[in-house]
Amino acid sequence: MLDQTGVDARLPLYLQLRDLLATQIRAQKWQPGQPIPSEAELSQTYQVAVGTVRRAIETLMAEGLVERTHGRGTFVRKARFDNSLFRFFRFESADGRPLSPKSVIVSRKLVEAPAQATAALQLKPHAKVIELHRLRMVDAQPVLAENIYLCAQRFKALADKSPEQFGDLLYPLYERECGLIVASARETLTVETVTAAQAKLLGLKEKTPVVMIERIAFGSDGQPLEWRQSRGAASKFRYSAEIR
Amino acid sequence: MLDQTGVDARLPLYLQLRDLLATQIRAQKWQPGQPIPSEAELSQTYQVAVGTVRRAIETLMAEGLVERTHGRGTFVRKARFDNSLFRFFRFESADGRPLSPKSVIVSRKLVEAPAQATAALQLKPHAKVIELHRLRMVDAQPVLAENIYLCAQRFKALADKSPEQFGDLLYPLYERECGLIVASARETLTVETVTAAQAKLLGLKEKTPVVMIERIAFGSDGQPLEWRQSRGAASKFRYSAEIR
DNA sequence: TAGTGGTCTAGACCACATG
DNA sequence: ATGTGGTCTAGACCACTAT
């Protein structure tokens, strides 16, 4: 049965089952890439019709938590960091080939959230956040300066870990260390003129135009997880988006 | 029955029904805003189970062709030109309110497609295209200069119609005059320095940074319909995108 | 061949909107 | 009260994957 499993009993059955399975997937009850029980099995253990199980799993699939293959089974999706969330702005070499930038964490501080961060992350006033300053490098040249804000409470595992061990990509880190999966994001682009400090960091002349990309990243439950601002020389920028 | 209605009989039933309904919606069998027959009725007329009808309609809903309201019915979605496809780049007044720009068609020519256009629109070499030059104005000030390319064959209705009657939005025009619906698009943003000609059109100083937005718009069948390049002063730009 | 997901059916009951 | 879509069930049959 589904009662007394911590799910909201007022929800439709298939959503209760979805929540239950999602929790177990997050808790790593089944390893990424491994199959979850079959429809028939789940239908048995939870005493619901197969159709209801299907609907729950279809929801999970739409959310990107599982993958199904006809005849094989339903599998916990491995984190795929080659997907759209990781190629917003590409760095291109002169001949147009994509480059993968290296990351350097310049600083990590625990601070009271600035007003914009509380708004973006939907935090209470004066909540604590982890503030990261990061530089992204291509061929040892800095190309992007980033300010990243994370709710201190949810990301407390990152407050202790050494920033040298963060690696080049943050989202896999969030998933590994904090169990938080970035499922979607909203980005806003504007063009500004560099401040003196940014110019120095990025090795740019004064008054060079820079693109500022502001991003709010959301978890699979729609809660905002991360707010970041990234700035880089406008002349090197290329940004692609699909609209539906 | 669903045979001999022009749909692919090898497809699952629910997809055949989806195609059939989609065709009828496009042919305006039911007016936008008006209800399509109920599940029970469709189930009767086409002799399929209600569950199959449901699945077909769910697909149509996911594609944005219909809207359902519990207890009321299923309705053909009105063309909503306030949706994401029409607010890629917003023009904002000083106080942050969105502005709706006026359009002026500066020229319309029938020309042989330039190389980039043949690539973007997947045309044969030397195919003819309609080339539109358009200015978008806010408060009588030009803010955006656009070059638009359309396959002459499919958009031949626009070759005759007076450009003064095109109106401020092109996509509703494409739909009205040519029966072509823009369903999705891919945009690429870059930052450039204005050319002398563009500077004059837009009333900008030399070497001002401009944002160039290149867009390929696709029909519901995935075929490219329109290729355009839009340029405007970078300082006034704000561009938002959702990533999933 | 056995087990999985994919399609399809038929029907019950519920929740919502409308007259 | 009626008709609509939303949930849920139970079971049949098909198509794909593995062994």
Side-chain angles (χ1 to χ4, degrees):
Chain A
M1 307 297 266
L2 290 180
D3 358 333
Q4 295 183 323
T5 46
V7 301
D8 190 336
R10 296 164 303 180
L11 258 34
L13 247 190
Y14 77 94
L15 280 183
Q16 293 181 44
L17 181 53
R18 182 228 87 101
D19 289 349
L20 191 54
L21 293 172
T23 310
Q24 296 182 36
I25 288 170
R26 301 246 161 78
Q28 307 252 42
K29 173 160 178 176
W30 308 287
Q31 295 297 315
Q34 291 310 112
I36 71 171
S38 72
E39 296 180 347
E41 209 167 332
L42 289 169
S43 155
Q44 259 298 319
T45 54
Y46 295 112
Q47 292 293 303
V48 296
V50 193
T52 306
V53 175
R54 284 192 67 74
R55 186 122 190 233
I57 295 181
E58 272 163 14
T59 310
L60 288 173
M61 209 173 44
E63 295 169 330
L65 279 171
V66 299
E67 283 173 339
R68 321 192 77 180
T69 319
H70 192 168
R72 291 214 317 136
T74 303
F75 301 82
V76 176
R77 222 189 69 170
K78 286 185 203 165
R80 291 170 44 84
F81 297 108
D82 58 344
N83 70 14
S84 65
L85 265 177
F86 297 88
R87 47 179 167 77
F88 303 140
F89 36 93
R90 261 198 291 274
F91 298 92
E92 295 182 348
S93 63
D95 58 0
R97 283 181 301 110
L99 297 171
S100 43
K102 297 286 171 192
S103 298
V104 178
I105 305 285
V106 177
S107 76
R108 175 189 54 190
K109 291 179 197 156
L110 192 64
V111 299
E112 192 169 294
Q116 275 189 288
T118 58
L121 297 175
Q122 297 173 21
L123 300 174
K124 287 175 192 134
H126 312 299
K128 293 280 181 182
V129 291
I130 298 174
E131 180 190 63
L132 298 175
H133 288 165
R134 187 167 78 148
L135 265 183
R136 310 206 69 182
M137 328 278 291
V138 171
D139 296 335
Q141 296 293 318
V143 293
L144 206 62
E146 299 187 305
N147 302 332
I148 299 164
Y149 296 87
L150 307 165
C151 168
Q153 206 165 8
R154 279 199 277 192
F155 285 87
K156 57 177 179 287
L158 296 189
D160 305 321
K161 194 178 172 69
S162 160
E164 285 81 24
Q165 300 172 354
F166 277 12
D168 287 334
L169 294 174
L170 288 179
Y171 294 172
L173 181 79
Y174 298 165
E175 184 168 351
R176 207 166 52 240
E177 301 292 327
C178 312
L180 294 167
I181 298 174
V182 172
S184 68
R186 185 167 59 240
E187 299 199 326
T188 302
L189 276 73
T190 50
V191 180
E192 309 172 336
T193 307
V194 274
T195 64
Q198 290 158 8
K200 199 175 168 190
L201 263 177
L202 292 167
L204 299 175
K205 285 184 205 153
E206 238 184 305
K207 295 192 184 169
T208 308
V210 288
V211 173
M212 195 271 275
I213 300 153
E214 188 172 351
R215 181 197 299 171
I216 303 175
F218 301 92
S220 35
D221 54 355
Q223 290 298 304
L225 297 178
E226 176 208 64
W227 176 59
R228 69 164 78 177
Q229 289 187 322
S230 310
R231 291 179 175 86
S235 59
K236 293 188 181 171
F237 253 86
R238 172 172 283 271
Y239 182 98
S240 284
E242 302 280 339
I243 302 103
R244 260 175 297 274
Chain B
M1 307 297 266
L2 290 180
D3 0 333
Q4 295 181 320
T5 45
V7 300
D8 190 337
R10 297 165 303 180
L11 258 36
L13 248 190
Y14 77 93
L15 281 182
Q16 294 180 43
L17 182 53
R18 183 228 86 100
D19 289 348
L20 191 56
L21 293 173
T23 311
Q24 297 183 32
I25 288 172
R26 299 247 159 78
Q28 306 252 43
K29 173 160 177 177
W30 308 288
Q31 295 299 313
Q34 291 312 109
I36 71 172
S38 72
E39 296 180 349
E41 210 165 334
L42 291 170
S43 154
Q44 260 297 319
T45 54
Y46 295 112
Q47 292 294 302
V48 295
V50 194
T52 306
V53 175
R54 284 191 68 74
R55 186 121 191 235
I57 295 181
E58 272 164 15
T59 310
L60 289 173
M61 208 175 42
E63 295 169 331
L65 279 170
V66 299
E67 284 173 338
R68 322 192 78 181
T69 319
H70 191 169
R72 291 216 316 137
T74 303
F75 301 83
V76 176
R77 226 188 63 169
K78 287 185 205 166
R80 290 166 48 81
F81 296 107
D82 60 342
N83 70 14
S84 64
L85 266 177
F86 298 88
R87 50 178 165 77
F88 304 140
F89 36 93
R90 260 198 291 274
F91 299 91
E92 296 183 345
S93 64
D95 58 1
R97 282 181 303 108
L99 297 171
S100 44
K102 297 286 172 194
S103 299
V104 177
I105 305 285
V106 177
S107 76
R108 174 190 55 190
K109 291 178 197 156
L110 192 65
V111 298
E112 192 170 294
Q116 275 189 287
T118 59
L121 297 175
Q122 296 174 22
L123 300 174
K124 288 176 192 136
H126 313 297
K128 292 278 181 185
V129 291
I130 298 173
E131 179 190 65
L132 299 175
H133 287 164
R134 187 166 77 147
L135 265 183
R136 310 206 70 182
M137 327 278 289
V138 171
D139 295 335
Q141 295 293 316
V143 293
L144 206 61
E146 300 186 304
N147 301 332
I148 299 164
Y149 296 87
L150 307 165
C151 168
Q153 205 166 10
R154 279 198 277 192
F155 286 88
K156 55 178 179 289
L158 296 189
D160 305 321
K161 192 177 173 71
S162 161
E164 285 80 25
Q165 299 170 355
F166 278 11
D168 287 333
L169 294 174
L170 288 179
Y171 294 171
L173 180 80
Y174 298 164
E175 185 168 347
R176 205 167 52 238
E177 301 292 328
C178 312
L180 294 168
I181 297 174
V182 172
S184 68
R186 185 168 60 242
E187 299 199 327
T188 302
L189 276 73
T190 50
V191 179
E192 307 173 337
T193 306
V194 273
T195 65
Q198 291 157 9
K200 197 175 169 191
L201 264 177
L202 291 168
L204 300 174
K205 283 184 206 154
E206 238 184 302
K207 296 192 184 172
T208 309
V210 288
V211 173
M212 194 271 276
I213 300 153
E214 189 173 351
R215 180 196 301 171
I216 304 175
F218 301 91
S220 35
D221 55 355
Q223 290 298 304
L225 298 178
E226 177 207 64
W227 175 59
R228 69 163 80 176
Q229 290 187 321
S230 311
R231 291 178 175 84
S235 60
K236 292 187 182 170
F237 254 85
R238 170 172 287 269
Y239 182 97
S240 283
E242 302 279 340
I243 303 106
R244 260 173 297 271

